[in-house]
Amino acid sequence: MNENQNWKEKLRSSVHLFKNKKTVKGVRITYQVVWNLLLLFFIILLIGGTFALGVGGGYFASLVKDEPIRTYASMKKQIYNYEETSELYFANDVYLGKLRSDIDREEVKLDQVSKYLQDAVVATEDEYFYKHSGVVPKAIFRALFQEVSNASIQTGGSTLTQQLIKNQLLTNEVSFERKAKEILLALRLEKFFDKKEILEAYLNVSTFGRNSSGRNIAGVQSAAKGIFGVEASQLTLPQAAFIAGLPQSPFGYTPYTQNKTIKNDLTPGLERMKTVLKRMFDGGYISEQEYNEALTYDITKDFIPPKASPQENYPWLTTELEKRSIEILAGILAKQDGYEEQDLKKDNELMQEYRSVADLNIRQNGYKVYSTINKDIYDAMQQVKDNYPHFGPDKPQEKIDPETGEKVTVMEPVEVGAILIENKTGKIISFVGGRNHEREELNHATNAVRQNGSTMKPLLVYAPAFELGAAAPGTILPDVPLKLNPASSNPWPQNYDLRYSGLVSARYALTKSYNVPAVKLYKDIVAQRPAKYLEKMGFTSLVEEDYSNLSTAIGSLKNGVTVEENTNAFGTFANGGKFIDAYMIEKITDRDGKVIYQHEVKPTEVFSPQTSYLTLDMMRDVIKKGTATSLNGRLKFQSDWAGKTGTGNQFWDAWFVATNPNVSFGIWTGYDTPKSLKSGGLNYSLRNIYLWADLMNAAYDINPDLVDPADSFAMPGGIVRRSYCAVSGLLPSNACSRAGLVETDLFNAKFAPSKVDDSLIDGKYVQIGDKKYLALDSTPSEFAHSGVIINPDYVQKIMGTTKGASQLIPKKDRWANVLVPDAKMEENGRTPAPLGLALSGTTMTWAPHPDEDVIGYRVYKKSGTGVQKVASIKSGESLSYSGGNGSYYVTAVDIAGKESDPSNSVQIGEKPAETEAPAAN
């Protein structure tokens, strides 16, 4: 009650106070003062703010004054000008892998990116992305204040748009000028591009640490594939959250090390994933249930295991494709600038310039390189090579240690290079680059240059000689010691077995791989520069001396050839004389799928179809009955193969190249530092051929239709079969026919023999033991044999001399009655001395006459009517005679027909009684 009364009294006092004039006046004055102060403060604040904005705007303008006004086209070009790793493919669009580059990036369209990932990036990196116009002023001022005050926490102020500008148009320089330009360009970018375009570009630009191969990655597609092994469109919520968290600290959060191992401590990346999930939930992008399930999900089980890069699995192949792609692109770029291929070949500096540009393009522009390599055949061949047991022994080699500079001895293995080429297209189907890429990176199939030995003979000697009309398979060549090296007085060349076979056909010489006939034939045509045919068949390492040096005929070039070049050349014969250059890259497309390069087959005319077939037919014999017969028991299949073996100087190189109607396959084995392949155990040539067969069998298992065609080589028109004389290669004469030396073979009708053989003449000879000598005009016919003699003029023509002509006669029975002009017996010029005759029972015997020109003996019998010759016995036969009763003597006869005086007489049986004359009447 009292309290209420007190309250009423106070209220009356207050009302009374306001009614007081003095009080009201004081309040009014106070109000006016406060209002004026507030108004003054507002004016000062407005002026100061305007001044600050003016100063800030002026400062901003000064920062961006040098920034050009960028057009839509220029900004679009720069925004989308991010590096994208080029991809490699096997034949038939089978994916091989990424090309070697500093960063692995694969472009992807926004609609091919998981919605989870899109939302995760926006929620984490720029929550107002869909609302702002490129910048968020509040965030900028906050960041500016933190920078000026040197605050310990820096929250940043960049939107996704700004980050895109910084990555693509500006640098990472930390300065107010760069930030000002970033803001200006971000505002401009938002005018030109919609949010989807900006987000798509950001997702392709950002870096995401490393993939399971230890390579740096950029772009969400590479991140999805390289971390989880899925496409960006297939990412789950936890996977998307993990990837979205990586750009803040790519190498801090990435799960992989540079050494292709998973980190021991994954906590930073996992905690960052949880932060991303929380922001997605707070932003309303995912439900509470999705959030909780993702939080408890074990993302580590989704990390793909560390795997080798294509460079590790296919080191020789990826390197080769990279090299050839750069060559192709360099040519394209040069052509765009008005240069021709020849310009680059002539100017090495210009070539290097365009190669450098091409190298940069192939690593950054996201090309797709499609090769001709059959993955299955390639893999199978590597497996055969890795498991082959007969390479031969490692051999010691002294080398200089690059680190210490000291001499060290290392063990060098036998290396291998092999290549399989499709004849009609030139596609390289497969190759073997070497034994172990970690030990030796050199590609022995495409880049190693070695002497090609006798595989050169069909390419440089026989086929050119056939083409020039200088020889045919039936052409007769001397396989005897010839001095074909003018710088030496010793016979050169020598055959690999150091033996000689006399007169042989070109077919037989190639079949047995004789060196002398090949060099002799090459000497006959070298003035016509047959090495020009090698040029047409793609040999790139020829020098001027290779055009005149006779040793080139047997593969001793100044530099050498690659396995690819050698094998590719053999395909010329299978293509009817047309050379088709081998290639490994089918096409190259840009990131939009546009074909910027497509290989075109451009045949080059080298030999006629007739020359090609004749050469093939001869090389068939190499496999049927020549130096490659060991192949027949090793192949799983039968095909119409034609090939040639080869051995380099001092047994440094072993070769075998063969072709059939579909493919050509060549192999080389040898040591990187040249040394003899000879060793104990299996012969080096057999080791080489056996590996050739095993590799071809592996290809057959994968694609039998490719390597084992049903068709054989078809004989073209213009080929005829003719008989020829095995002494001269001309049409058989009567003398040749009587000697049994008629052969038959194939000829180009254009150059078939038309002259009759004149290399043989009828004649007589005498024989003493196994030696034959020309008979003289005065040689008694009873001691001579009828036969044929090689015309001395012919011998002089093919040997340059008649001396040593006896070596021309092959050691074959059918040549038994053929003589050479130097088969002459030295006549001593005197009459043989009388013999001594002995008798045992009814058999008389005598010793060989000491004179070497004695060719036979005559046995005489005395009778009442005179002396009668009863036997003629040739030297070398049994020197005895058994006759009936009577008195006998023997004389010796020399090659000139001179006859000795009678020997002593011997009596067989009783001497007849003398008859007395009748008495005269």
Side-chain angles (χ1 to χ4, degrees), residues 691-756:
L691 179 55
W692 187 100
D694 290 353
L695 291 168
M696 186 51 63
N697 284 336
Y700 174 79
D701 289 339
I702 302 299
N703 193 338
D705 292 338
L706 173 68
V707 301
D708 183 24
D711 297 333
S712 298
F713 291 114
M715 183 188 296
I719 299 288
V720 295
R721 183 172 291 277
R722 291 284 187 269
S723 295
Y724 67 91
C725 182
V727 179
S728 64
L730 301 176
L731 294 176
S733 63
N734 291 333
C736 184
S737 298
R738 285 196 304 273
L741 296 177
V742 178
E743 296 276 5
T744 60
D745 210 329
L746 301 176
F747 291 84
N748 184 338
K750 196 168 151 185
F751 304 117
S754 57
K755 294 181 179 180
V756 177

Side-chain angles (χ1 to χ4, degrees), residues 559-779:
N559 296 314
V561 301
T562 66
V563 178
E564 178 182 343
E565 289 174 342
N566 212 28
T567 305
N568 198 187
F570 272 69
T572 304
F573 304 122
N575 291 324
K578 293 182 176 66
F579 172 72
I580 296 177
D581 200 10
Y583 70 100
M584 199 179 292
I585 295 180
E586 191 69 61
K587 67 178 179 180
I588 300 176
T589 63
D590 63 16
R591 67 179 66 181
D592 298 321
K594 179 183 176 182
V595 177
I596 63 169
Y597 168 78
Q598 177 70 59
H599 180 79
E600 295 180 15
V601 176
K602 299 177 180 178
T604 300
E605 297 280 351
V606 182
F607 300 119
S608 69
Q610 293 75 25
T611 290
S612 298
Y613 185 80
L614 293 176
T615 309
L616 285 170
D617 194 54
M618 285 171 55
M619 291 195 295
R620 283 168 167 160
D621 285 354
V622 173
I623 296 172
K624 291 177 183 177
K625 52 189 176 183
T627 54
T629 53
S630 57
L631 178 67
N632 297 312
R634 298 287 295 191
L635 282 178
K636 291 181 177 180
F637 60 99
Q638 297 295 322
S639 185
D640 190 8
W641 287 108
K644 186 69 191 76
T645 56
T647 300
N649 184 39
Q650 300 183 51
F651 305 97
W652 286 345
D653 308 278
W655 289 84
F656 180 56
V657 185
T659 185
N660 70 21
N662 269 15
V663 296
S664 296
F665 186 48
I667 189 172
W668 163 90
T669 53
Y671 294 94
D672 280 326
T673 306
K675 52 180 68 70
S676 175
L677 285 164
K678 283 187 170 183
S679 64
L682 195 62
N683 174 272
Y684 72 92
S685 181
L686 292 180
R687 298 197 302 260
N688 191 61
I689 289 175
Y690 286 176
L691 179 55
W692 187 100
D694 290 353
L695 291 168
M696 186 51 63
N697 284 336
Y700 174 79
D701 289 339
I702 302 299
N703 193 338
D705 292 338
L706 173 68
V707 301
D708 183 24
D711 297 333
S712 298
F713 291 114
M715 183 188 296
I719 299 288
V720 295
R721 183 172 291 277
R722 291 284 187 269
S723 295
Y724 67 91
C725 182
V727 179
S728 64
L730 301 176
L731 294 176
S733 63
N734 291 333
C736 184
S737 298
R738 285 196 304 273
L741 296 177
V742 178
E743 296 276 5
T744 60
D745 210 329
L746 301 176
F747 291 84
N748 184 338
K750 196 168 151 185
F751 304 117
S754 57
K755 294 181 179 180
V756 177
D757 171 63
D758 59 357
S759 65
L760 293 178
I761 55 178
D762 290 318
K764 293 184 178 182
Y765 66 92
V766 297
Q767 182 169 351
I768 300 178
D770 60 352
K771 294 184 178 180
K772 300 181 179 69
Y773 303 94
L774 291 174
L776 305 177
D777 292 340
S778 59
T779 300

Side-chain angles (χ1 to χ4, degrees), residues 15 139 386 401 409 449 469 529 569 797 886:
V15 171
D386 291 340
D401 189 315
T409 299
V449 177
R529 293 174 70 84
K797 174 183 175 183

Side-chain angles (χ1 to χ4, degrees), residues 416-435:
V416 60
I419 199 163
L420 178 65
I421 303 173
E422 187 176 56
N423 296 327
K424 291 180 176 59
T425 63
K427 291 180 181 178
I428 298 175
I429 306 299
S430 180
F431 68 86
V432 175
R435 297 278 298 278

Side-chain angles (χ1 to χ4, degrees), residues 399-408:
K399 291 190 174 183
I400 301 296
D401 189 315
E403 296 182 1
T404 65
E406 298 178 352
K407 290 183 178 180
V408 294

Side-chain angles (χ1 to χ4, degrees), residues 32 104 115 121 143 221 314 326 509 529 674 689 744 751 775 819 915:
Q32 289 178 347
D104 189 350
K115 190 65 167 62
V121 168
Q221 179 76 332
Y314 296 95
I326 291 171
R529 293 174 70 84
I689 289 175
T744 60
F751 304 117
L819 274 75
T915 304

Side-chain angles (χ1 to χ4, degrees), residues 457 462 477-482 484 492-495 499-500 513-522 554:
K457 292 172 183 173
Y462 293 106
L477 300 167
D479 182 34
V480 297
L482 296 179
L484 298 177
W492 180 88
Q494 293 180 326
N495 292 328
R499 293 184 293 183
Y500 303 94
S513 199
Y514 293 152
N515 290 336
V516 178
V519 175
K520 175 63 172 64
L521 179 57
Y522 187 63
I554 50 179

